[in-house]
Amino acid sequence: MEEGITKRPLILLGLIVAGLLLFSLLGVQPPYFSSWLSHPSSMNPQPLHADEAVQWSLAKEMSEGVPYSSNNDRFHGPTLAASLMVASKVTGTAFTDMSESYLRNVTGCYLALLSLAALALPGVSLMSRVTAATFCFMVGGGTPFGFYYVQEVLLVAGLAWASVLWLRSEVSARKILWRLLSGAAFGFALACKVTAAAYLLFFFIALMIVRKTWINRQTLAFMAGIVASWAFFQSVAFTDVHGLATWWSQLARSLGVASGRSEDTLTALSYWPWLWAALWLGEFSTYRFLGQRAIPFRSGSFDFALVFVGLLFGFHLLLPYKTPWLLYGVMALPLVLVLPYHLSGGWRRDGMLLLGLLISAGVAAGDFASHSPTADLRTFEVSTARLKAAYKGGPFYIAIQEGQYWPLPYYLRHYQVGYGDFPAAAKAPLRLILANDTSEPKVAGYAVRRLILRKEGTEYWVLVAKEYESVFSRP
């Protein structure tokens, strides 16, 4: 036992270093490590995904006085936007000055909060809890999404704390307090995304499967915590009470989208992330059965977590609507709720488990991040800045004719941009036209370049005023 105590921190430190190197090579390194590394090129962040840029735009609109309840977001609540507004106030950073790393550092705080939930687990050693929390933070919860500016990180942090605080209530004499706090965490999750309503149902089903009592007088405290917390965050601290009604309209809309009865339903571009998630759960479940030969799913706190996460995975697997973001809870929650209970077999066994999980997360990272924008976007950003600096023909502006704009508005936030048809569009020094086929347009006075915006095929024709074409295209 003494050998395990003295060597485990060294094993953990080695895994942290190996993990950071692996994730840096994969290009999904945590943005909050950027100031610690001396080589600037190694920390050139990935361009924002469209979902990240949309969330930035919603937060920017809220900061300008546009209520959350008036936007057309189909699923997301105001929590991420409100968090960015708070960060802007605290740091004095304007929305147009926010870099990709700045935005992702905001969710990085919630990744830390998610990871810290492991420290509150009952019935497990402090060393195991610290190890699991550190590991979860290091790998971003098991996918690159933990390092993105997306709502799912906040949602899963709420789910993790709701689960941990419920487990604490089962072993504490102050049950009502812990149930109230657990409900408050779940209320926060509900204000992040309407999908959490289904998660709440599966939460109770998982408790019933593992035969844990939940219908009692403490349940009222849990529900009270949910309602109070949800109302507070959903209404942005009661400054936008119409946001409460917005949540219900989003829920109604999501039923059609998730079930495939809406044109907005997104199907899977690849099933590899779903396969990795299934193997991830299989890895935790196999380790549980090898280490705990007892009645299936009824012997430990981690059994509740495994059933809960398994139900979430099955739910999203069955529904037609599929994006990799939906798997973040499936990957991250076992690291917080299950891993600490497995870290008690000595430093060799624990080291092998962590190494196996690290390799699994590293190998899967590329498929989870395969929907990201291309490097063309970064080149376009630099070329546009160079074009504006060289332009002498009057006010510099950009015209974008039609199509899927995101994440272009974020990357063109420093310029005057017109979307759609407007009188001066035909004379803009820089124009973008959605590429519906491979036929290169011929436009008098313009040189044409191609911009592959996203890997799944969103492309534009970039029209550059001919006298500035060499400046725009310069390496």
Side-chain angles (χ1 to χ4, degrees):
M1 183 63 68
E2 289 298 317
E3 181 185 26
I5 293 175
T6 56
K7 291 188 176 181
R8 191 186 295 181
L10 296 177
I11 295 294
L12 175 60
L13 179 61
L15 286 171
I16 291 174
V17 174
L20 291 176
L21 290 175
L22 175 62
F23 273 72
S24 294
L25 290 174
L26 291 169
V28 293
Q29 66 274 5
Y32 31 83
F33 288 120
S34 59
S35 61
W36 301 357
L37 301 180
S38 57
H39 197 293
S41 63
S42 67
M43 287 308 301
N44 185 29
Q46 292 276 355
L48 293 186
H49 183 271
D51 288 9
E52 295 180 276
V54 168
Q55 292 297 323
W56 166 82
S57 179
L58 292 176
K60 181 174 179 292
E61 290 178 1
M62 284 179 60
S63 72
E64 295 168 349
V66 179
Y68 151 78
S69 57
S70 67
N71 69 51
N72 294 318
D73 193 296
R74 287 181 169 82
F75 309 110
H76 303 99
T79 52
L80 183 55
S83 298
L84 188 60
M85 288 172 60
V86 171
S88 176
K89 293 290 186 182
V90 170
T91 62
T93 305
F95 276 78
T96 53
D97 293 332
M98 293 177 177
S99 65
E100 295 106 327
S101 293
Y102 182 95
L103 296 175
R104 290 164 177 165
N105 284 339
V106 172
T107 44
C109 294
Y110 285 98
L111 172 60
L113 186 65
L114 163 65
S115 303
L116 289 173
L119 300 182
L121 278 173
V124 65
S125 70
L126 176 62
M127 189 64 209
S128 295
R129 285 178 279 151
V130 171
T131 301
T134 305
F135 186 83
C136 180
F137 183 74
M138 175 187 70
V139 300
T143 79
F145 305 148
F147 305 132
Y148 289 4
Y149 178 70
V150 291
Q151 194 87 239
E152 279 70 16
V153 183
L154 285 67
L155 168 66
V156 175
L159 295 178
W161 275 100
S163 302
V164 168
L165 294 170
W166 183 285
L167 293 175
R168 288 205 69 86
S169 74
E170 294 179 341
V171 297
S172 173
R174 307 175 69 179
K175 295 184 182 298
I176 292 180
L177 174 62
W178 291 117
R179 290 285 173 90
L180 182 68
L181 294 175
S182 176
F186 227 118
F188 174 80
L190 285 169
C192 291
K193 200 171 182 180
V194 293
T195 315
Y199 296 169
L200 180 60
L201 174 62
F202 296 132
F203 182 85
F204 288 127
I205 292 176
L207 288 172
M208 289 188 289
I209 290 176
V210 298
R211 298 216 173 153
K212 292 181 178 292
T213 302
W214 65 271
I215 301 179
N216 50 38
R217 61 182 182 178
Q218 287 86 37
T219 305
L220 291 176
F222 178 75
M223 299 307 296
I226 287 180
V227 173
S229 176
W230 167 77
F232 178 82
F233 290 107
Q234 184 68 24
S235 65
V236 193
F238 301 110
T239 61
D240 183 11
V241 293
H242 296 293
L244 303 178
T246 298
W247 188 91
W248 291 101
S249 63
Q250 286 180 338
L251 179 62
R253 188 187 298 123
S254 69
L255 296 177
V257 174
S259 61
R261 291 182 283 108
S262 169
E263 62 181 11
D264 295 322
T265 298
L266 299 176
T267 55
L269 296 174
S270 169
Y271 274 92
W272 276 110
W274 300 83
L275 176 61
W276 293 126
L279 294 174
W280 184 260
L281 287 181
E283 194 170 357
F284 276 99
S285 299
T286 300
Y287 202 88
R288 174 253 183 264
F289 284 116
L290 291 176
Q292 300 285 334
R293 299 183 182 278
I295 300 174
F297 301 119
R298 294 178 186 173
S299 66
S301 299
F302 49 84
D303 286 332
F304 155 71
L306 281 173
V307 174
F308 179 42
V309 175
L311 289 172
L312 301 189
F313 178 68
F315 171 68
H316 289 302
L317 189 63
L318 289 174
L319 291 177
Y321 185 89
K322 284 182 172 60
T323 63
W325 313 106
L326 300 173
L327 296 173
Y328 186 62
V330 176
M331 299 291 288
L333 288 175
L335 293 177
V336 175
L337 303 177
V338 181
L339 181 59
Y341 293 102
H342 288 336
L343 293 173
S344 56
W347 70 270
R348 289 186 181 87
R349 180 175 169 182
D350 292 352
M352 290 299 294
L353 173 60
L354 293 175
L355 183 60
L357 292 174
L358 182 62
I359 293 173
S360 298
V363 170
D367 287 309
F368 273 105
S370 62
H371 63 290
S372 299
T374 66
D376 284 8
L377 181 58
R378 185 70 73 207
T379 302
F380 172 76
E381 181 186 21
V382 174
S383 297
T384 302
R386 193 164 54 232
L387 175 61
K388 181 188 178 183
Y391 186 66
K392 305 298 182 182
F396 180 82
Y397 65 101
I398 301 169
I400 302 181
Q401 187 179 49
E402 59 179 348
Q404 170 54 263
Y405 301 134
W406 297 103
L408 285 176
Y410 171 82
Y411 287 98
L412 300 177
R413 65 195 184 278
H414 298 299
Y415 310 110
Q416 183 179 354
V417 183
Y419 296 93
D421 294 325
F422 58 97
K427 297 181 180 179
L430 186 64
R431 299 167 60 186
L432 277 76
I433 301 174
L434 190 66
N436 295 313
D437 52 43
T438 58
S439 302
E440 182 176 307
K442 303 295 182 181
V443 182
Y446 289 93
V448 180
R449 293 288 180 269
R450 197 176 186 91
L451 169 63
I452 302 177
L453 188 61
R454 285 152 56 177
K455 292 180 181 178
E456 59 264 32
T458 303
E459 300 181 18
Y460 278 93
W461 294 113
V462 180
L463 279 59
V464 186
K466 276 191 175 180
E467 58 267 37
Y468 295 99
E469 193 269 338
S470 60
V471 174
F472 185 86
S473 302
R474 191 172 65 216

Coordinates of all heavy atoms in Angstrom, one line a residue, residues 16-73:
I16 N 0.1 13.0 -17.3 CA -0.3 14.3 -17.7 C 0.6 14.9 -18.8 O 0.2 15.4 -19.8 CB -0.2 15.3 -16.4 CG1 -1.3 14.9 -15.4 CG2 -0.3 16.7 -16.8 CD1 -1.2 15.7 -14.1
V17 N 1.9 14.7 -18.6 CA 2.9 15.1 -19.6 C 2.6 14.4 -21.0 O 2.5 15.0 -22.0 CB 4.3 14.9 -19.2 CG1 5.3 15.2 -20.3 CG2 4.6 15.7 -18.0
A18 N 2.4 13.1 -20.9 CA 2.1 12.3 -22.1 C 0.8 12.8 -22.8 O 0.7 12.9 -24.0 CB 2.1 10.8 -21.8
G19 N -0.2 13.0 -21.9 CA -1.5 13.5 -22.5 C -1.4 14.8 -23.2 O -1.9 15.0 -24.3
L20 N -0.7 15.8 -22.6 CA -0.5 17.1 -23.2 C 0.2 17.0 -24.5 O -0.1 17.6 -25.5 CB 0.2 18.0 -22.2 CG -0.6 18.4 -21.0 CD1 0.3 19.3 -20.1 CD2 -1.8 19.2 -21.4
L21 N 1.3 16.2 -24.6 CA 2.0 16.0 -25.8 C 1.1 15.4 -26.9 O 1.1 15.8 -28.0 CB 3.2 15.1 -25.6 CG 4.4 15.8 -24.8 CD1 5.5 14.7 -24.5 CD2 4.9 17.0 -25.5
L22 N 0.3 14.3 -26.5 CA -0.5 13.7 -27.4 C -1.6 14.6 -28.0 O -1.8 14.7 -29.2 CB -1.2 12.4 -26.8 CG -2.2 11.7 -27.6 CD1 -1.6 11.1 -28.9 CD2 -2.9 10.6 -26.8
F23 N -2.2 15.3 -27.1 CA -3.3 16.2 -27.6 C -2.7 17.4 -28.4 O -3.4 17.9 -29.2 CB -4.1 16.7 -26.4 CG -5.3 15.8 -26.0 CD1 -5.0 14.5 -25.5 CD2 -6.6 16.1 -26.3 CE1 -6.0 13.7 -25.2 CE2 -7.6 15.2 -26.1 CZ -7.3 14.0 -25.5
S24 N -1.5 17.8 -28.1 CA -0.9 18.9 -28.9 C -0.6 18.4 -30.3 O -0.8 19.1 -31.2 CB 0.4 19.3 -28.2 OG 0.2 20.0 -27.0
L25 N -0.1 17.2 -30.4 CA 0.1 16.6 -31.7 C -1.2 16.5 -32.5 O -1.2 16.6 -33.7 CB 0.8 15.2 -31.6 CG 2.2 15.2 -31.1 CD1 2.7 13.8 -30.8 CD2 3.1 15.9 -32.1
L26 N -2.3 16.2 -31.8 CA -3.6 16.0 -32.5 C -4.2 17.4 -32.8 O -5.2 17.4 -33.5 CB -4.5 15.2 -31.6 CG -4.1 13.7 -31.5 CD1 -5.0 13.0 -30.4 CD2 -4.3 13.0 -32.8
G27 N -3.7 18.5 -32.3 CA -4.2 19.8 -32.6 C -5.5 20.1 -31.7 O -6.2 21.0 -32.1
V28 N -5.7 19.4 -30.6 CA -6.9 19.7 -29.8 C -6.4 20.0 -28.4 O -7.1 19.7 -27.4 CB -7.8 18.4 -29.8 CG1 -8.4 18.2 -31.1 CG2 -7.1 17.2 -29.3
Q29 N -5.3 20.7 -28.3 CA -4.7 21.0 -27.0 C -5.6 22.1 -26.3 O -6.2 22.9 -26.9 CB -3.3 21.6 -27.1 CG -3.1 22.9 -27.9 CD -3.0 22.7 -29.3 OE1 -3.2 21.6 -29.9 NE2 -2.9 23.8 -30.1
P30 N -5.6 22.0 -24.9 CA -6.3 23.0 -24.2 C -5.8 24.4 -24.4 O -4.6 24.6 -24.3 CB -6.1 22.6 -22.7 CG -5.6 21.1 -22.8 CD -4.9 21.0 -24.1
P31 N -6.7 25.4 -24.8 CA -6.2 26.7 -25.0 C -5.7 27.4 -23.8 O -4.8 28.3 -24.0 CB -7.5 27.4 -25.5 CG -8.6 26.6 -24.9 CD -8.1 25.2 -24.9
Y32 N -6.0 27.0 -22.6 CA -5.6 27.7 -21.4 C -4.1 27.3 -21.1 O -3.6 27.8 -20.1 CB -6.5 27.4 -20.2 CG -7.2 26.0 -20.2 CD1 -6.5 24.9 -19.8 CD2 -8.5 25.9 -20.7 CE1 -7.1 23.7 -19.8 CE2 -9.1 24.7 -20.8 CZ -8.4 23.6 -20.3 OH -9.0 22.3 -20.4
F33 N -3.5 26.4 -21.8 CA -2.1 26.1 -21.6 C -1.2 27.0 -22.5 O 0.0 26.9 -22.5 CB -1.8 24.7 -21.9 CG -2.3 23.7 -20.9 CD1 -3.2 22.7 -21.2 CD2 -1.9 23.8 -19.6 CE1 -3.7 21.8 -20.3 CE2 -2.4 22.9 -18.6 CZ -3.3 21.9 -19.0
S34 N -1.8 27.9 -23.4 CA -1.1 28.6 -24.4 C 0.0 29.5 -23.8 O 1.0 29.6 -24.3 CB -2.1 29.4 -25.2 OG -2.8 30.3 -24.5
S35 N -0.3 30.1 -22.6 CA 0.7 31.0 -22.1 C 1.8 30.3 -21.4 O 2.8 30.9 -21.0 CB 0.0 31.9 -21.0 OG -0.6 31.1 -20.0
W36 N 1.7 29.0 -21.3 CA 2.8 28.2 -20.6 C 3.8 27.7 -21.6 O 4.9 27.3 -21.2 CB 2.2 27.0 -19.9 CG 1.2 27.4 -18.8 CD1 0.8 28.6 -18.4 CD2 0.4 26.5 -18.0 NE1 -0.2 28.5 -17.5 CE2 -0.4 27.2 -17.2 CE3 0.4 25.1 -17.9 CZ2 -1.3 26.7 -16.3 CZ3 -0.5 24.5 -17.0 CH2 -1.3 25.3 -16.2
L37 N 3.5 27.7 -22.9 CA 4.4 27.1 -23.9 C 5.2 28.2 -24.6 O 4.6 29.3 -24.9 CB 3.6 26.3 -24.9 CG 2.8 25.1 -24.3 CD1 2.1 24.4 -25.3 CD2 3.7 24.2 -23.5
S38 N 6.4 28.0 -24.9 CA 7.3 29.0 -25.5 C 7.2 29.1 -27.0 O 7.6 30.1 -27.6 CB 8.7 28.7 -25.0 OG 9.1 27.5 -25.5
H39 N 6.7 28.1 -27.6 CA 6.7 28.1 -29.1 C 5.3 28.5 -29.6 O 4.4 27.7 -29.5 CB 7.0 26.6 -29.6 CG 7.4 26.6 -31.1 ND1 6.5 27.0 -32.1 CD2 8.6 26.4 -31.7 CE1 7.1 26.9 -33.2 NE2 8.4 26.5 -33.0
P40 N 5.2 29.7 -30.1 CA 3.8 30.3 -30.4 C 3.1 29.4 -31.5 O 1.9 29.2 -31.4 CB 4.2 31.7 -30.9 CG 5.5 32.0 -30.4 CD 6.2 30.7 -30.3
S41 N 3.9 28.9 -32.5 CA 3.2 28.2 -33.6 C 2.6 26.9 -33.1 O 1.6 26.4 -33.7 CB 4.2 27.9 -34.7 OG 5.2 27.0 -34.2
S42 N 3.0 26.3 -32.0 CA 2.5 25.1 -31.5 C 1.1 25.3 -30.9 O 0.4 24.4 -30.6 CB 3.4 24.5 -30.5 OG 3.5 25.3 -29.3
M43 N 0.8 26.6 -30.6 CA -0.5 26.9 -30.0 C -1.5 27.7 -30.9 O -2.3 28.4 -30.4 CB -0.3 27.7 -28.7 CG 0.3 26.8 -27.5 SD -0.6 25.3 -27.2 CE -2.2 26.0 -26.8
N44 N -1.3 27.6 -32.2 CA -2.2 28.3 -33.1 C -3.5 27.5 -33.0 O -3.6 26.4 -33.4 CB -1.7 28.2 -34.5 CG -2.6 28.9 -35.5 OD1 -3.2 29.9 -35.1 ND2 -2.6 28.5 -36.7
P45 N -4.5 28.1 -32.4 CA -5.8 27.4 -32.1 C -6.5 27.0 -33.3 O -6.4 27.7 -34.4 CB -6.6 28.3 -31.2 CG -6.1 29.7 -31.6 CD -4.6 29.5 -32.0
Q46 N -7.3 26.0 -33.2 CA -8.2 25.6 -34.3 C -9.2 26.7 -34.5 O -9.7 27.3 -33.6 CB -9.0 24.3 -33.9 CG -8.1 23.1 -33.9 CD -7.9 22.4 -35.2 OE1 -8.5 22.9 -36.2 NE2 -7.1 21.4 -35.3
P47 N -9.6 27.0 -35.8 CA -10.7 28.0 -36.0 C -12.0 27.6 -35.4 O -12.2 26.4 -35.1 CB -10.8 28.0 -37.6 CG -9.5 27.5 -38.1 CD -9.0 26.5 -37.0
L48 N -12.8 28.5 -35.1 CA -14.1 28.3 -34.5 C -15.0 27.4 -35.4 O -15.1 27.7 -36.6 CB -14.8 29.6 -34.1 CG -14.2 30.5 -33.0 CD1 -15.2 31.6 -32.7 CD2 -13.9 29.7 -31.7
H49 N -15.7 26.5 -34.8 CA -16.7 25.8 -35.5 C -17.9 26.7 -35.6 O -18.0 27.7 -34.8 CB -17.1 24.5 -34.7 CG -18.2 23.7 -35.4 ND1 -19.5 23.9 -35.2 CD2 -18.1 22.7 -36.2 CE1 -20.2 23.0 -35.9 NE2 -19.3 22.3 -36.5
A50 N -18.8 26.4 -36.5 CA -20.0 27.3 -36.7 C -20.8 27.4 -35.4 O -21.3 28.5 -35.0 CB -20.9 26.7 -37.8
D51 N -20.9 26.3 -34.6 CA -21.7 26.4 -33.4 C -21.1 27.3 -32.4 O -21.7 28.0 -31.6 CB -21.9 25.0 -32.8 CG -22.8 24.1 -33.5 OD1 -23.2 24.6 -34.6 OD2 -23.2 23.1 -33.1
E52 N -19.7 27.3 -32.3 CA -19.0 28.2 -31.4 C -19.3 29.7 -31.8 O -19.5 30.6 -31.0 CB -17.5 27.9 -31.4 CG -17.1 26.6 -30.9 CD -15.6 26.3 -31.0 OE1 -15.2 25.9 -32.0 OE2 -15.0 26.6 -30.0
A53 N -19.2 29.9 -33.1 CA -19.3 31.3 -33.6 C -20.7 31.8 -33.4 O -20.9 33.0 -33.1 CB -19.0 31.4 -35.1
V54 N -21.7 30.9 -33.5 CA -23.1 31.3 -33.3 C -23.3 31.7 -31.8 O -24.0 32.7 -31.5 CB -24.1 30.2 -33.7 CG1 -25.5 30.5 -33.1 CG2 -24.1 30.0 -35.2
Q55 N -22.7 31.0 -30.9 CA -22.8 31.3 -29.5 C -22.2 32.6 -29.2 O -22.7 33.4 -28.3 CB -22.2 30.1 -28.7 CG -23.0 28.8 -28.7 CD -24.4 28.9 -28.2 OE1 -24.6 29.6 -27.2 NE2 -25.3 28.2 -28.8
W56 N -21.1 32.9 -29.8 CA -20.4 34.2 -29.6 C -21.4 35.3 -30.1 O -21.5 36.3 -29.4 CB -19.1 34.2 -30.4 CG -18.5 35.6 -30.5 CD1 -17.8 36.3 -29.6 CD2 -18.7 36.5 -31.7 NE1 -17.5 37.6 -30.1 CE2 -18.0 37.7 -31.4 CE3 -19.4 36.4 -32.9 CZ2 -18.0 38.8 -32.2 CZ3 -19.3 37.5 -33.8 CH2 -18.6 38.6 -33.5
S57 N -22.0 35.1 -31.2 CA -22.9 36.1 -31.8 C -24.1 36.4 -30.9 O -24.5 37.5 -30.6 CB -23.4 35.7 -33.2 OG -24.3 36.7 -33.7
L58 N -24.7 35.3 -30.3 CA -25.8 35.4 -29.4 C -25.4 36.2 -28.2 O -26.2 37.1 -27.7 CB -26.4 34.1 -29.0 CG -27.0 33.3 -30.2 CD1 -27.4 31.9 -29.6 CD2 -28.2 34.0 -30.7
A59 N -24.2 35.9 -27.7 CA -23.7 36.6 -26.5 C -23.5 38.1 -26.8 O -23.8 39.0 -26.0 CB -22.4 36.0 -26.0
K60 N -22.9 38.4 -28.0 CA -22.7 39.8 -28.4 C -24.0 40.5 -28.5 O -24.1 41.7 -28.0 CB -22.0 39.8 -29.7 CG -21.6 41.2 -30.3 CD -20.8 41.0 -31.5 CE -20.4 42.4 -32.1 NZ -21.6 43.1 -32.6
E61 N -25.0 39.9 -29.1 CA -26.4 40.5 -29.2 C -26.9 40.8 -27.8 O -27.5 41.9 -27.5 CB -27.3 39.7 -30.0 CG -27.0 39.6 -31.4 CD -27.9 38.7 -32.2 OE1 -28.8 38.1 -31.6 OE2 -27.7 38.5 -33.4
M62 N -26.8 39.9 -26.9 CA -27.3 40.1 -25.5 C -26.6 41.3 -24.8 O -27.2 42.0 -24.1 CB -27.1 38.8 -24.7 CG -28.1 37.7 -25.0 SD -27.9 36.2 -24.0 CE -28.1 36.9 -22.3
S63 N -25.3 41.4 -25.1 CA -24.5 42.5 -24.5 C -25.0 43.8 -25.1 O -24.8 44.9 -24.4 CB -23.0 42.3 -24.7 OG -22.7 42.5 -26.1
E64 N -25.6 43.8 -26.3 CA -26.0 45.0 -26.9 C -27.5 45.3 -26.6 O -28.1 46.2 -27.1 CB -25.8 44.9 -28.4 CG -24.4 44.8 -28.8 CD -24.2 44.4 -30.3 OE1 -25.2 44.0 -30.9 OE2 -23.0 44.5 -30.8
G65 N -28.1 44.5 -25.7 CA -29.5 44.8 -25.3 C -30.5 43.9 -25.9 O -31.7 44.1 -25.7
V66 N -30.2 43.0 -26.8 CA -31.1 42.1 -27.5 C -31.4 41.0 -26.5 O -30.5 40.2 -26.2 CB -30.6 41.6 -28.8 CG1 -31.6 40.6 -29.4 CG2 -30.2 42.7 -29.7
P67 N -32.7 40.8 -26.0 CA -33.0 39.7 -25.1 C -32.8 38.4 -25.6 O -33.0 38.1 -26.8 CB -34.5 40.0 -24.7 CG -34.8 41.4 -25.2 CD -33.8 41.6 -26.4
Y68 N -32.3 37.5 -24.8 CA -32.2 36.1 -25.2 C -33.5 35.5 -25.8 O -33.5 34.8 -26.7 CB -31.7 35.2 -24.0 CG -32.1 33.8 -24.1 CD1 -31.5 32.9 -24.9 CD2 -33.2 33.3 -23.3 CE1 -31.9 31.6 -25.0 CE2 -33.6 32.0 -23.4 CZ -33.0 31.1 -24.2 OH -33.4 29.8 -24.2
S69 N -34.6 35.9 -25.1 CA -35.9 35.3 -25.5 C -36.3 35.7 -26.9 O -37.2 35.1 -27.5 CB -37.0 35.8 -24.5 OG -37.0 37.2 -24.5
S70 N -35.7 36.7 -27.5 CA -36.1 37.1 -28.9 C -35.3 36.5 -30.0 O -35.5 36.7 -31.1 CB -36.0 38.6 -29.0 OG -34.6 39.0 -28.9
N71 N -34.2 35.7 -29.6 CA -33.4 35.1 -30.7 C -34.1 33.8 -31.2 O -35.1 33.3 -30.6 CB -32.0 34.8 -30.2 CG -31.9 33.7 -29.2 OD1 -32.4 32.6 -29.3 ND2 -31.1 34.0 -28.1
N72 N -33.6 33.2 -32.2 CA -34.2 32.0 -32.8 C -33.4 30.7 -32.5 O -33.4 29.8 -33.3 CB -34.2 32.2 -34.3 CG -35.2 33.3 -34.7 OD1 -36.3 33.4 -34.2 ND2 -34.8 34.1 -35.7
D73 N -32.6 30.7 -31.4 CA -31.9 29.5 -31.1 C -32.9 28.4 -30.8 O -33.8 28.6 -30.0 CB -31.0 29.8 -29.8 CG -30.0 28.7 -29.6 OD1 -30.5 27.5 -29.3 OD2 -28.8 28.9 -29.6

